[in-house]
């Protein structure tokens, strides 16, 4: 147990000296003792709620963390933040709230920590945007912090095979095509998600959970244990104890999350065939840390990283299988052996990543993680694109894809609903390049994910027969030739705003190109006739987001980040 001098910690402003007697009276009202008040105050932030199974165990885990903080000599103070669960928000206007929630989560944690002068932070998250939102807050505040993932859901079982929620989305497409009876769809929906935890494949939540271990903000081997496992209680308690060690050493997130640590994180995303959303969240986190790390930095690392973890949606296995095979550190063991990671980066253990990896013995008997010398494919599961249609870049997940180039006539839609209706009506021709625009950060607003549309295409057997391009996003569960984050977005007058039905679009994921075969003269004429569109969101949080959000290339962030700071909260 540490006895830490509070006279230089933020909590001194609410707990020390005669002037703070009114503040202390509030603490006594909650049953705290003078000894409790004299200890460092540790924020235990939970995204726990009843909105979705991703979040239902988080509050209980946070309570175990409180025990660890007390054991380590601190006083825990728990509070909650929101989530917007993508699986429920998907396919309708609710998805416009998803990316906005990342900013609200980070802001709410910042404001609670600032307002109550907490000295350290342990954060619990389960849903997609709550993971980067929580880590963005840690980097913004720069108090000693540890991130804890709530854990993935166990796979469902249907007709003797493992299933996830993606199977349900794709079954909707089969049902629309007349290939899945309603009774079978209903039977599947009842078993696909068998309990607590986040979506089980290498979708956005599990991808960012891997990022948290790779970047050094989570304890080793902590994030891949499924939510129902009792080991999660011990993980939470350990995080509470360890954050007190970080406070004693004054080891902060920006000491850990260096540019080299971000490179490690990007490589782990690529090696595991992770979500394209990581290319949005890593730049946003870097903004909080005070350095540039944009889509092209991420894409270059993706391009030079082998794909080695056979995980859904492109592969066979789910997060539980990755955990059983050795977890994120087993992935990093073989990447480091091939010189693909920076082993000297610090982590929340106090040791370096390399020192942590030295504790791991390679498991040759598992089937999930390939040796980096003999990868599934030599290029990462996610690649960046650039060309005349996307001067500011775009991104595509290629894990599990057999076809890496595509060329065809554009079929243009100005919102996801119109495209989904055409898919439902079987009004999409083979060979088409579907364009869904005005779904970017500003133009959506909110940069919606398109899983409902892409899953319906797969369910109809069209997943490999068309390509889909958007200035919006794709779910980490999306598979097929689906290109997102096209920039500049349509709302900013990017080339995607000027595409017309029948224009030929060529995509080459091996060369990293995405081009519109229309002459400059024609595009210039179209540009003169282009009129910016007005959205239906003209007040409230989504309006505020649209007014402040920057390009997807830089993470779709809403403030200048650490580079504009004149002071850091942790130093008040």
């Amino acid at each position: 147990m540490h006895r830490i001098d509070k006279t230089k910690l933020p909590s001194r402003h609410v707990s020390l000296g005669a002037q703070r007697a009114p503040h202390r009276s509030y603490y006594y009202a909650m049953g705290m003792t003078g000894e409790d008040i004299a200890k460092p105050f540790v924020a235990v932030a939970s995204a726990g709620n009843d909105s979705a199974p991703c979040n239902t165990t988080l509050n209980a885990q946070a309570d175990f963390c409180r025990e660890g903080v007390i054991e380590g000599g601190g006083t825990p103070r728990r509070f909650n933040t929101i989530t917007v669960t993508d699986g429920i928000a998907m396919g309708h206007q609710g998805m416009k709230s998803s990316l906005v929630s990342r900013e609200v989560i980070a802001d709410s944690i910042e404001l609670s920590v600032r307002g109550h002068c907490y000295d350290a932070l342990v954060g619990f998250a389960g849903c997609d945007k709550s993971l980067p939102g929580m880590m963005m807050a840690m980097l913004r505040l720069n108090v000693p912090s540890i991130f804890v993932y709530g854990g993935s859901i166990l796979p469902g079982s249907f007709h003797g095979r493992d299933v996830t929620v993606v199977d349900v989305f794709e079954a909707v497409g089969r049902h629309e095509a007349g290939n899945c009876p309603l009774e079978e769809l209903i039977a599947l929906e009842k078993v696909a998600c068998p309990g607590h935890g986040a979506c089980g494949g290498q979708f956005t939540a599990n991808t960012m959970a891997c990022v948290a271990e790779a970047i050094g903000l989570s304890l080793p081997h902590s994030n891949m244990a499924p939510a129902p496992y009792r080991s999660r209680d011990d993980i939470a308690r350990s995080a509470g104890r360890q954050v007190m060690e970080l406070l004693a050493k004054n080891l902060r997130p920006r000491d850990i999350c260096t540019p080299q640590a971000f490179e490690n994180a990007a490589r782990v995303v690529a090696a595991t065939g992770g979500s394209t959303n990581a290319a949005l969240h890593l730049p946003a986190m870097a903004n909080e840390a005070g350095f540039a790390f944009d889509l092209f930095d991420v894409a270059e690392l993706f391009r030079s990283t082998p794909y080695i973890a056979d995980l859904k949606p492109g592969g066979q296995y789910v997060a539980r299988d990755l955990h059983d095979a050795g977890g994120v550190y087993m992935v990093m063991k073989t990447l480091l052996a091939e010189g693909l990671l920076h082993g000297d980066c610090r982590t929340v253990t106090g040791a370096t990543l390399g020192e942590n990896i030295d504790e791991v013995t390679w498991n040759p008997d598992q089937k999930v993680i390939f040796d980096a010398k003999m990868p599934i494919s030599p290029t990462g599961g996610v690649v960046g694109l650039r060309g005349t249609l996307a001067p500011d870049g775009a991104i595509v997940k290629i894990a599990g894809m057999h076809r890496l180039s595509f060329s065809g006539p554009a079929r243009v839609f100005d919102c996801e609903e119109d495209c989904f209706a055409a898919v439902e009506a079987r009004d999409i021709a083979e060979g088409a390049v579907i364009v869904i625009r005005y779904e970017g950060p500003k133009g959506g607003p909110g940069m919606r994910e398109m899983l409902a549309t892409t899953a319906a295409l797969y369910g109809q057997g069209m997943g490999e027969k068309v390509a889909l391009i958007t200035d919006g996003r794709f779910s980490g569960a999306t598979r097929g030739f689906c290109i997102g984050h096209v920039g500049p977005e349509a709302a900013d007058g990017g080339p995607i705003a000027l595409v017309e039905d029948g224009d030929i679009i060529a995509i080459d994921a091996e060369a990293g190109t995405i081009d519109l075969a229309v002459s400059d003269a024609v595009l210039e004429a179209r540009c003169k006739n282009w009129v910016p569109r007005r959205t239906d969101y003209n007040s409230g949080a989504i309006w505020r987001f649209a007014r402040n959000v920057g390009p997807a290339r830089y993470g779709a962030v809403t403030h200048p980040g650490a580079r504009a700071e004149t002071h850091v909260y942790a130093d008040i």
Side-chain angles (χ1 to χ4, degrees):
M1 178 185 293
H2 288 285
R3 293 192 175 276
I4 298 171
D5 179 10
K6 288 186 67 167
T7 60
K8 294 183 180 179
L9 295 180
S11 64
R12 73 186 185 278
H13 295 295
V14 296
S15 60
L16 298 184
Q19 291 179 326
R20 304 310 177 198
H23 306 67
R24 289 192 294 272
S25 71
Y26 280 63
Y27 300 130
Y28 286 117
M30 292 183 282
M32 291 170 64
T33 65
E35 185 180 0
D36 295 331
I37 297 169
K39 296 174 182 176
F41 290 172
V42 177
V44 179
S46 169
N49 56 53
D50 294 340
S51 298
C54 330
N55 310 311
T56 46
T57 67
L58 296 180
N59 288 343
Q61 292 186 42
D63 286 340
F64 282 105
C65 175
R66 292 208 270 201
E67 295 176 7
V69 170
I70 292 167
E71 291 168 9
T75 295
R77 300 284 85 196
R78 201 194 91 189
F79 63 87
N80 282 54
T81 187
I82 68 156
T83 59
V84 172
T85 298
D86 289 2
I88 293 174
M90 194 73 67
H92 55 88
Q93 293 287 304
M95 181 49 77
K96 293 181 185 288
S97 301
S98 173
L99 185 59
V100 180
S101 77
R102 184 190 71 180
E103 309 309 301
V104 173
I105 290 163
D107 292 350
S108 66
I109 294 166
E110 175 198 358
L111 294 174
S112 189
V113 171
R114 282 186 183 276
H116 302 111
C117 295
Y118 295 137
D119 303 316
L121 171 61
V122 183
F124 290 79
C127 258
D128 294 359
K129 305 308 169 295
S130 59
L131 282 81
M134 193 74 70
M135 289 186 276
M136 286 163 65
M138 292 173 176
L139 288 160
R140 186 183 303 178
L141 294 160
N142 205 32
V143 292
S145 301
I146 294 178
F147 175 82
V148 185
Y149 180 43
S152 74
I153 200 168
L154 293 171
S157 180
F158 189 66
H159 293 168
R161 63 185 180 91
D162 285 351
V163 292
T164 70
V165 70
V166 177
D167 294 278
V168 186
F169 275 101
E170 293 184 2
V172 171
R174 294 201 309 276
H175 174 67
E176 297 286 351
N179 297 324
C180 177
L182 181 60
E183 295 78 10
E184 182 174 332
L185 177 61
I186 292 171
L188 175 60
E189 74 179 56
K190 290 180 178 179
V191 300
C193 300
H196 301 293
C199 297
Q202 193 63 345
F203 313 149
T204 303
N206 283 321
T207 297
M208 296 309 296
C210 290
V211 161
E213 286 197 44
I215 211 166
L217 281 177
S218 290
L219 293 171
H221 317 294
S222 62
N223 286 347
M224 286 300 103
Y229 283 19
R230 293 298 300 272
S231 61
R232 298 226 58 87
D233 302 345
D234 293 331
I235 289 166
R237 191 181 288 107
S238 296
R241 285 195 298 266
Q242 185 61 24
V243 81
M244 295 305 299
E245 296 287 339
L246 299 182
L247 191 57
K249 296 173 181 175
N250 195 29
L251 183 58
R252 303 181 182 183
R254 295 185 198 172
D255 301 325
I256 292 167
C257 298
T258 61
Q260 291 74 30
F262 273 81
E263 291 179 7
N264 289 344
R267 288 206 187 276
V268 167
V269 172
T272 58
S275 170
T276 55
N277 284 311
L280 196 68
H281 301 322
L282 285 171
M285 290 168 59
N287 183 61
E288 305 288 359
F291 52 83
F293 190 72
D294 71 6
L295 172 65
F296 294 117
D297 296 315
V298 175
E300 178 57 29
L301 290 157
F302 286 174
R303 185 192 62 78
S304 57
T305 305
Y307 169 43
I308 61 172
D310 188 14
L311 298 170
K312 289 179 180 286
Q316 302 180 66
Y317 299 103
V318 295
R320 178 205 56 190
D321 302 316
L322 178 60
H323 170 68
D324 292 347
V328 183
Y329 267 80
M330 192 65 67
V331 173
M332 293 194 290
K333 179 83 173 178
T334 186
L335 292 177
L336 182 64
E338 294 305 302
L340 292 168
L341 297 181
H342 301 282
D344 56 350
C345 293
R346 299 283 294 279
T347 73
V348 292
T349 65
T352 66
L353 186 74
E355 289 168 339
N356 293 341
I357 289 173
D358 283 343
E359 308 261 322
V360 176
T361 301
W362 175 256
N363 178 5
D365 298 322
Q366 52 80 30
K367 299 178 180 179
V368 181
I369 306 161
F370 287 58
D371 191 311
K373 290 188 179 72
M374 297 174 287
I376 299 168
S377 65
T379 300
V382 185
V383 299
L385 306 173
R386 193 174 199 171
T388 56
L389 184 61
D392 278 352
I395 196 156
V396 60
K397 179 188 282 194
I398 62 170
M401 284 174 50
H402 304 292
R403 183 177 183 179
L404 297 181
S405 62
F406 201 104
S407 181
R411 180 73 188 280
V412 183
F413 300 92
D414 285 347
C415 67
E416 184 190 11
E417 285 84 354
D418 290 350
C419 180
F420 189 77
V423 172
E424 276 192 305
R426 308 302 299 270
D427 188 25
I428 302 292
E430 290 187 21
V433 178
I434 302 166
V435 176
I436 307 177
R437 62 190 177 194
Y438 296 105
E439 291 286 6
K442 184 186 296 184
M447 204 178 183
R448 284 194 289 181
E449 292 182 351
M450 308 290 167
L451 176 59
T453 300
T454 58
L457 285 165
Y458 253 94
Q460 293 176 0
M462 292 284 284
E464 303 288 341
K465 299 173 183 177
V466 296
L468 200 160
I469 296 170
T470 182
D471 51 6
R473 298 182 293 124
F474 289 109
S475 166
T478 293
R479 58 190 180 121
F481 223 130
C482 299
I483 295 120
H485 305 198
V486 168
E489 63 171 291
D492 284 332
I496 193 172
L498 308 178
V499 180
E500 295 183 359
D501 283 345
D503 290 349
I504 300 300
I505 297 173
I507 309 147
D508 189 330
E510 288 188 288
T513 59
I514 179 168
D515 291 304
L516 176 63
V518 176
S519 70
D520 291 344
V522 170
L523 288 178
E524 186 176 342
R526 291 180 186 176
C527 190
K528 289 177 181 177
N529 295 320
W530 177 75
V531 178
R533 297 172 80 249
R534 184 179 176 90
T535 77
D536 292 333
Y537 293 83
N538 297 304
S539 66
I542 295 176
W543 172 85
R544 187 184 303 116
F545 177 86
R547 288 289 293 264
N548 291 296
V549 70
R553 173 179 174 178
Y554 301 107
V557 297
T558 56
H559 71 110
R563 281 171 289 182
E565 285 178 346
T566 55
H567 79 281
V568 180
Y569 161 77
D571 296 328
I572 64 170

